[in-house]
Amino acid sequence: MVDEQSLRNKIDVSEPSGMKLVEEIERLKTKKNALILAHNYQRAEVQDVADFVGDSLELARRAAEADADVIVFCGVDFMAETAAVLNPDKKVLIPDAGATCPMAQMLTASALRRVRAEHPGAAVVLYINTLAESKAEADCVCTSANAAAVVNAMDAETVIFGPDANLAYYVRRRSPKELVVVPERGLCPTHHQIAMEDVEAARRRHPGAKLVAHPECVPEVQDAADHIASTSGMVRFCREDAAAEYLIATEIGLLHRLRREAPQKRFHAVSETAVCPQMKMHTLPKILRALERERPTVTVPKETADAAREAIQRMLELE
Ligand code: 13P
Ligand code: SF4
């Protein structure tokens, strides 16, 4: 369990966000023909300055379609790498190079090769939350928006799947395939800490509110949910559903989009400490600096990028 005060200290939630900063970002964006892509967990002011805010699948699609010269990616390393793999001729910038997803580090390419050797004939489907070198070993990539559909589309009866064991639980309940999960206990620390006790406490505070969860949550929270979806899927559900009040089991950054897109409804975080520190590293001053200096850049070695691109493109073509 993460202590809230130390998290807040680490994240520096008091970062200033003046109009001047926004104007300067806009000016440089036009001058350099840049596109700012932001994930749904970004700070509110970063979401507000972005050209597009979305989940991993939507961001991969936007990156694939981009005709800008520069992409400023406000998300974590694997997302920016995906944009770089899909745009080998463009400059991909990440405002803070320290924004690395701990889950993506949990599965190495060599561990994957070992498991593959033990299961000849199995297909390999990797969650997009993996590094490009692991994706290069996969048959297909998936996101939280399409994980079960991608697994079900594989020719093989056995599918090697990783690195999130909670997402694997979600897929197993929606697929007849035999899943070999690698590593056995891969997880997202931010989602894994959202416990059933948090759900019960939130339900006591807001009786009657619907529970909407991300599939990176633990099985008990998934089982208790009225709806499970990717971050943008959660927004779509809440927008279209008839209820007036929701408990949200994911990273708290999603609340900004929910409240903006469904202002007439009430949203409550199941856990206020469900914060992804890496996602919160990007700030307006860092975006401006990245645009000015055109770094830090995100690059992937050609051979790895070519192999990873096939697995990503296969997913994009499946839909
Ligand atoms: P989504 O693709 O659902 O936005 O999830 C990304 C992620 O990292 C969740 O922790
Ligand atoms: Fe990775 Fe979890 Fe952060 Fe998503 S919320 S980027 S899975 S650590």
Side-chain angles (χ1 to χ4, degrees), residues 21 33 37 42 61 69 76 85 94 98 130 158 170 182 200 239 261 277 280 316:
L21 216 42
N33 188 26
L37 298 179
Q42 289 300 299
R61 286 198 185 288
D69 297 318
V76 286
V85 163
I94 187 160
T130 42
T158 303
Y170 171 86
V182 53
E200 282 154 10
R239 233 177 18 213
E261 295 194 20
K280 298 298 193 256
L316 297 175

Side-chain angles (χ1 to χ4, degrees), residues 134-214:
S134 298
K135 288 189 181 82
E137 304 286 329
D139 295 306
C140 195
V141 165
C142 73
T143 76
S144 60
N146 59 16
V150 170
V151 165
N152 289 336
M154 295 297 109
D155 272 343
E157 283 318 301
T158 303
V159 176
I160 297 168
F161 185 90
D164 188 9
N166 292 323
L167 184 65
Y169 173 84
Y170 171 86
V171 171
R172 275 196 174 118
R173 298 179 67 89
R174 291 158 180 83
S175 173
K177 305 278 184 189
E178 191 199 327
L179 285 201
V180 176
V181 182
V182 53
E184 259 176 60
R185 289 178 203 282
L187 55 85
C188 160
T190 303
H191 285 85
H192 204 77
Q193 58 126 359
I194 304 174
M196 240 354 253
E197 295 82 71
D198 297 317
V199 170
E200 282 154 10
R203 278 184 166 154
R204 280 194 296 276
R205 287 194 301 274
H206 308 285
K210 278 192 181 171
L211 176 65
V212 184
H214 192 274

Side-chain angles (χ1 to χ4, degrees), residues 83-266:
V85 163
L86 291 169
N87 292 281
D89 302 327
K90 292 186 182 126
K91 198 170 257 185
V92 177
L93 306 174
I94 187 160
D96 189 321
T100 55
C101 167
M103 185 203 281
Q105 308 285 337
M106 291 178 189
L107 179 57
T108 61
S110 57
L112 190 56
R113 278 194 291 271
R114 268 198 307 277
V115 176
R116 185 167 224 173
E118 288 163 14
H119 298 274
V124 177
V125 173
L126 288 192
Y127 193 22
I128 198 164
N129 298 35
T130 42
L131 297 176
E133 59 171 56
S134 298
K135 288 189 181 82
E137 304 286 329
D139 295 306
C140 195
V141 165
C142 73
T143 76
S144 60
N146 59 16
V150 170
V151 165
N152 289 336
M154 295 297 109
D155 272 343
E157 283 318 301
T158 303
V159 176
I160 297 168
F161 185 90
D164 188 9
N166 292 323
L167 184 65
Y169 173 84
Y170 171 86
V171 171
R172 275 196 174 118
R173 298 179 67 89
R174 291 158 180 83
S175 173
K177 305 278 184 189
E178 191 199 327
L179 285 201
V180 176
V181 182
V182 53
E184 259 176 60
R185 289 178 203 282
L187 55 85
C188 160
T190 303
H191 285 85
H192 204 77
Q193 58 126 359
I194 304 174
M196 240 354 253
E197 295 82 71
D198 297 317
V199 170
E200 282 154 10
R203 278 184 166 154
R204 280 194 296 276
R205 287 194 301 274
H206 308 285
K210 278 192 181 171
L211 176 65
V212 184
H214 192 274
E216 288 177 16
C217 288
V218 296
E220 309 84 76
V221 173
Q222 292 189 34
D223 291 347
D226 295 287
H227 189 70
I228 308 172
S230 74
T231 52
S232 289
M234 292 170 77
V235 174
R236 266 191 302 279
F237 173 80
C238 293
R239 233 177 18 213
E240 290 160 16
D241 183 63
E245 194 170 15
Y246 300 88
L247 305 176
I248 301 300
T250 192
E251 211 272 354
I252 59 170
L254 191 67
L255 292 169
H256 179 65
R257 241 196 97 185
L258 284 163
R259 288 177 179 143
R260 202 181 51 197
E261 295 194 20
Q264 75 286 10
K265 300 193 173 195
R266 291 191 301 284

